[in-house]
Amino acid sequence: MADHKLRIAISGGGLAGAALANALINYPHLDVNIYESASEFSERGAAVGIATNAQKALEAIVPSAKELLDRAGAVSMNSTRLMIGSGRTAGTLVLDLAGQDPGRVVHRAALLRELLAPVPKGALHPNKKLVAIDNNCEEQQSVLLHFRDGSSAVADALIGADGIFGFVRQHILGSNSQASHPASAGWWDCRNLVPIEKAREKLGVELFREPRQYGWIGDKAFLMHDILDDGKVVQCVAAVVEDDMCNERKRELSRESLAAALASWSDGPVTKGMIELLLDQDAPAGYSQYEHKNTPTFARGRVCVAGDAAHAMTPWQGSGAAQAIEDAMVLGALFGSIQSREQIEAALKAYDCVRRPRAETITESSRLTGQIMTGQSVEVDAEALREALASRWMFIHDFDAEKHVSDALMALQDLKT
């Protein structure tokens, strides 16, 4: 047994950090603390998809995962229906991505609320922006964390769940390394949440007879709408090819700029309605999609990264949150199986060995899927799109969570011997 509890510091209190805390807090030999840079624990953005692989990973972390998602207002999708949205065949069905176990869509803030609920209040530390990491701590085999407010904390291991522009990744890879920083993926997107009554009015009642996610494929753009908050709210998304590379990640949007971005969609069945819904918010804006194109390692010494800090990806296959939950599942199993400080580096190497190949494969697949769904690599034709897209999600969703954990534990055993 450990001669003292292993102190695990998590930098970042978003979905990745909260999932990690849930994976770790029930082990009696672990002392877990989350340090969040903002003044409160919150999530930006609208909805997040929890596909079957994410549900399996979440159940491995929280046995009552289904009830947790229910409390968060997650809606089961009857299917994801892909349609052609622009051109002479606009309105044509491409395919339904459906299975026996449907994915669920949930508001990010509601999911974070439920994930944080079981975490002890004393383990939640807001206003703790990490500014320096000292591996040469006076206390041997420990990491010293320095925060912007002048305070510090000592941990036996640090997990950076501090997002796509996080500090911990730079510590691991070097701030001057190109791999430390995300790169533009080639699209910008705009999102809004609207009452379902308004969505029915603008897009038509027929599209909301069943809880279904719709994706509209077309010329240099993609439109999507899905239902969340127990069927009360609709998330509306427009993603557009970024022909004009913007120096700033954020761009202000107007009726004119949205109409120009969707000029070739003008006769599409949902274009006008989606423009109205996307503009129905204060200061509508588009944000460039960024990703980590390559990562030499997720870990160095007693420090690792997880979630977007490790493998930020485009949203085209709805896998960003799922991969963060898978990270948490594996790290929870690894830390649960070690008992001493001396084993931490081996645990983090095992995590990198198992998680990085899968996450980076999905990152690449997501980018290529976006190119298909915005008419860049495949003609906007129902048959061609059906052939290109029908099986693209199989390797993501057909996921053996138990084997993934077993592989990580086997890698840890190999590294310990």
Side-chain angles (χ1 to χ4, degrees), residues 83-93 269 380-382 385:
M83 310 283 293
I84 292 179
S86 73
R88 59 182 178 79
T89 59
T92 302
L93 172 68
V380 182
D381 167 80
L385 288 166

Side-chain angles (χ1 to χ4, degrees), residues 255-279:
R255 184 176 302 278
E256 292 72 25
S257 62
L258 260 179
L262 297 171
S264 60
W265 287 60
S266 58
D267 294 329
V270 297
T271 309
K272 292 178 182 177
M274 286 291 285
I275 289 175
E276 293 293 331
L277 295 172
L278 289 165
L279 291 172

Side-chain angles (χ1 to χ4, degrees), residues 8 16-17 29 48 55 59 64 73 84 87 95 128 132 144 172 182 213 220 231 242 247 332 350 398 402:
I8 313 300
H29 67 287
V48 61
Q55 292 176 46
E59 286 169 4
S64 59
I84 292 179
L95 78 161
K128 296 296 179 185
L144 180 61
I172 291 173
Q213 182 182 72
K220 292 189 174 182
E242 200 167 38
N247 290 329
D398 293 346
E402 290 185 8

Side-chain angles (χ1 to χ4, degrees), residues 125-199:
H125 308 279
N127 288 311
K128 296 296 179 185
K129 182 174 178 58
L130 188 62
V131 294
I133 301 168
D134 186 359
N135 288 317
N136 298 312
C137 179
E138 289 183 4
E139 186 178 329
Q140 288 188 347
Q141 297 181 326
S142 297
V143 181
L144 180 61
L145 314 179
H146 298 276
F147 303 105
R148 186 168 59 186
D149 64 1
S151 64
S152 61
V154 178
D156 297 310
L158 167 64
I159 304 172
D162 48 350
I164 186 170
F165 299 102
F167 177 77
V168 180
R169 183 183 178 92
Q170 295 180 41
H171 168 80
I172 291 173
L173 301 178
S175 59
N176 294 325
S177 168
Q178 187 174 357
S180 289
H181 308 284
S184 173
W187 299 272
W188 59 263
D189 59 47
C190 174
R191 299 166 185 262
N192 194 22
L193 298 177
V194 300
I196 193 167
E197 294 79 11
K198 184 167 288 188

